[in-house]
C-alpha cells in the first residue's frame, strides 16, 4: 500500500531535525551550588538508560538511574531532593512539546 502523499522519511534526517529542535543529545542543568550536570535527552537515550529509569521504583532510584552514581552524589551535596529530578523531566517534556511543533519532513 502506497502512502497518499508519497513522502518517505529518512530516519537519520528525522533524528537530526529533532536533535536540533530540542538542543542536542543531552540535557544540561545547573544545581543551586553551580555544578553543571548532564543526562541523556530522553528522545536519544540508549535502551539501557531508558530501561534503568523506567524500572526504578523510588524517587532516589530514579534519580540515580538518570544521573548515575557520581553525578547523583554531586546533586545530593547541592541539597536537592530526589523528587526534583521529576520536575526537571517535566520541564524537559514541556520544552520538547514547545520546540517540536510539526513533523519533520525531507
Amino acid at each position: 500500500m502506497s502512502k497518499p502523499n508519497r513522502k518517505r522519511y529518512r530516519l537519520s534526517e528525522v533524528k537530526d531535525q529533532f536533535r536540533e529542535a530540542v538542543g542536542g543529545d543531552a540535557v544540561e542543568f545547573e544545581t543551586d551550588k553551580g555544578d553543571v550536570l548532564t543526562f541523556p535527552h530522553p528522545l536519544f537515550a540508549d535502551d539501557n538508560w531508558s530501561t534503568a529509569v523506567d524500572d526504578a521504583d523510588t524517587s532516589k532510584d530514579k534519580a540515580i538511574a538518570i544521573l548515575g552514581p557520581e553525578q547523583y552524589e554531586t546533586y545530593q551535596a547541592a541539597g536537592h531532593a530526589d523528587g526534583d529530578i521529576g520536575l526537571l523531566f517535566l520541564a524537559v517534556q514541556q520544552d520538547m512539546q514547545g520546540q517540536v511543533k510539526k513533523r519533520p519532513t525531507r
Side-chain angles (χ1 to χ4, degrees):
M1 180 175 185
S2 66
K3 294 178 70 174
N5 63 5
R6 302 276 223 191
K7 289 183 182 179
R8 178 178 290 165
Y9 295 98
R10 178 168 283 155
L11 186 54
S12 60
E13 290 176 8
V14 170
K15 287 175 73 175
D16 286 345
Q17 288 176 355
F18 274 93
R19 187 176 288 116
E20 184 178 329
V22 300
D25 291 345
V27 174
E28 184 177 275
F29 70 100
E30 187 174 329
T31 68
D32 289 345
K33 287 192 173 181
D35 304 300
V36 176
L37 305 177
T38 62
F39 58 87
H41 193 288
L43 283 177
F44 305 108
D46 67 34
D47 292 339
N48 291 334
W49 184 88
S50 296
T51 299
V53 171
D54 290 343
D55 289 349
D57 291 327
T58 66
S59 294
K60 180 177 181 174
D61 292 341
K62 191 167 287 282
I64 293 170
I66 291 168
L67 298 173
E70 186 176 304
Q71 286 194 122
Y72 176 75
E73 287 182 26
T74 303
Y75 176 79
Q76 280 285 294
H80 295 287
D82 295 329
D84 290 347
I85 280 291
L87 295 173
L88 183 57
F89 247 63
L90 182 59
V92 169
Q93 288 174 333
Q94 288 178 344
D95 284 350
M96 221 174 6
Q97 291 172 353
Q99 296 295 326
V100 182
K101 295 181 181 175
K102 63 178 183 170
R103 289 191 321 189
T105 59
R106 279 192 87 179

